[in-house]
Amino acid sequence: MRDSLTVYRVANQIQLRRSTYTGTFLLVEGSSDKTFYQRFVDQLVCELVETSGKPSSKQRAIEILKILEQSNVQGVLAIIDADFERLETLLYTSHNLLRTDSHDLETMLINSQAFNKLLAEFGSEEKIAKFNRGVRLVLVENGMSVGYLLWISNCEGLNLTFDGIKFSKFIDEQTLQIDEVKLIQEVKNKSQAYSLKDEDLQQQLKSQKSNNHDPWEICRGHDLVEILSIGLRKVLGSNNAVDVEPNSLERSLRLAYEEIYFRQTQLYLDIRTWESNNQPFRVLRNDT
């Protein structure tokens, strides 16, 4: 009840602001998203609004947008993570709702030249050459196991907990390969879901992985960064854990992400299309 009241309060605040503010309201899921988009947004004509909170920041963004659309408030755009939606039924469709090119904002960063810059900064050229496999490819191959398990949990209503799982418990630090049996055990323990059978989850994982979905729609960026963090301590670099902890790496990725990379995304084109269809409202700086 409290969450729905908060959603209505944010929507009402935007409606009140609309009477005096002539610019665009851009809804984004959280503080890191806001930090990212601020770099490309013309803040003289576009105001960013965070929608973080429960049940999910994404769901709140959609609900706020729905309320404002029903009230015919103009000049409101929301950008959300795609998550698994392109593989399922879209939660909500609207000309005022845009999604990331891949699973989430972090996967967009990893799938750009910013990742190469990060690897050059924190990795060892010699160790990466010796690793003899594309680092991005290895991250995605292994991140899919976690992504698929999360998707299975969502589809089956298992309510498994993935926040706070320790990747070091199921990753080989030399190859960065995931032991799926240990992954399942770690997630079950974190979720206190002891009644679930390991064999059943293993079989579901195997079945899903045979479907050849686009890995960039399956993998979560946070999981790929967790794997990279472990790699940069030993097999890909010689960093102390504190220097390559995941939150720090994600910040570095955002900083390494240049405007030219953003201009190459579908999301950028979608924002420009929205602007042309919703004049005089604007989002991006004209030099972006």
Side-chain angles (χ1 to χ4, degrees):
M1 180 66 177
R2 185 183 301 167
D3 294 323
S4 62
L5 287 174
T6 307
V7 164
Y8 277 102
R9 190 169 69 244
V10 174
N12 286 336
Q13 286 171 346
I14 291 174
Q15 283 182 280
L16 287 170
R17 286 272 290 126
R18 174 48 77 225
S19 61
T20 56
Y21 179 66
T22 58
T24 304
F25 292 103
L26 177 60
L27 308 179
V28 296
E29 289 187 38
S31 58
S32 60
D33 300 67
K34 186 175 179 180
T35 301
F36 174 80
Y37 291 115
Q38 269 177 337
R39 295 172 52 199
F40 310 115
V41 161
D42 186 339
Q43 294 182 60
L44 293 175
V45 295
C46 181
E47 186 174 299
L48 287 101
V49 181
E50 274 183 61
T51 64
S52 53
K54 295 180 178 180
S56 81
S57 304
K58 175 178 180 173
Q59 193 61 49
R60 283 162 61 96
I62 292 172
E63 293 305 320
I64 292 166
L65 180 64
K66 279 183 184 178
I67 293 167
L68 294 170
E69 287 181 331
Q70 286 162 6
S71 302
N72 203 31
V73 178
Q74 303 297 305
V76 182
L77 176 66
I79 300 176
I80 57 174
D81 287 343
D83 295 327
F84 299 106
E85 286 193 61
R86 291 193 184 94
L87 309 176
E88 303 171 329
T89 304
L90 296 179
L91 282 175
Y92 183 64
T93 56
S94 164
H95 295 304
N96 299 313
L97 181 66
L98 305 180
R99 290 170 172 82
T100 50
D101 284 24
S102 49
H103 189 97
D104 51 36
L105 180 56
E106 288 72 28
T107 51
M108 282 182 64
L109 299 179
I110 292 168
N111 201 16
S112 75
Q113 291 297 314
F115 179 79
N116 300 348
K117 291 166 70 176
L118 183 82
L119 213 52
E121 180 69 27
F122 292 98
S124 157
E125 195 174 330
E126 185 181 338
K127 287 187 174 184
I128 291 169
K130 192 176 177 182
F131 190 61
N132 204 30
R133 291 203 65 202
V135 176
R136 190 188 276 114
L137 178 63
V138 170
L139 296 186
V140 169
E141 283 178 352
N142 290 286
M144 284 177 75
S145 296
V146 187
Y148 270 126
L149 189 58
L150 172 61
W151 195 23
I152 290 165
S153 173
N154 291 351
C155 293
E156 301 290 330
L158 302 179
N159 295 315
L160 294 175
T161 299
F162 288 79
D163 290 340
I165 58 173
K166 288 192 167 65
F167 278 68
S168 57
K169 290 189 175 181
F170 50 82
I171 282 193
D172 183 316
E173 61 180 23
Q174 292 296 338
T175 64
L176 303 183
Q177 298 295 310
I178 282 182
D179 184 322
E180 290 183 349
V181 174
K182 291 180 179 176
L183 163 65
I184 288 168
Q185 290 170 347
E186 169 67 1
V187 171
K188 278 175 57 179
N189 289 338
K190 192 73 180 174
S191 314
Q192 298 185 324
Y194 307 115
S195 62
L196 293 176
K197 291 185 177 178
D198 291 9
E199 299 78 16
D200 291 345
L201 290 172
Q202 282 175 253
Q203 187 55 46
Q204 285 178 285
L205 257 182
K206 185 179 179 182
S207 174
Q208 284 287 12
K209 289 177 82 171
S210 68
N211 288 326
N212 295 320
H213 293 111
D214 181 348
W216 292 103
E217 301 292 349
I218 297 294
C219 291
R220 296 192 307 173
H222 296 304
D223 298 333
L224 302 186
V225 172
E226 287 275 2
I227 300 170
L228 179 63
S229 173
I230 291 171
L232 288 172
R233 298 172 208 175
K234 201 163 196 176
V235 71
L236 302 174
S238 307
N239 299 278
N240 295 322
V242 68
D243 295 327
V244 288
E245 61 93 19
N247 285 337
S248 175
L249 286 178
E250 287 182 13
R251 279 195 300 273
S252 296
L253 267 174
R254 288 194 295 272
L255 288 170
Y257 193 86
E258 299 177 26
E259 289 190 9
I260 191 169
Y261 309 153
F262 187 55
R263 286 200 294 268
Q264 295 164 355
T265 65
Q266 183 61 45
L267 178 58
Y268 172 83
L269 294 176
D270 290 344
I271 295 171
R272 286 302 194 196
T273 299
W274 183 89
E275 288 179 327
S276 65
N277 291 336
N278 290 271
Q279 294 178 10
F281 296 106
R282 285 181 34 234
V283 175
L284 301 172
R285 296 199 316 271
N286 282 331
D287 60 347
T288 298

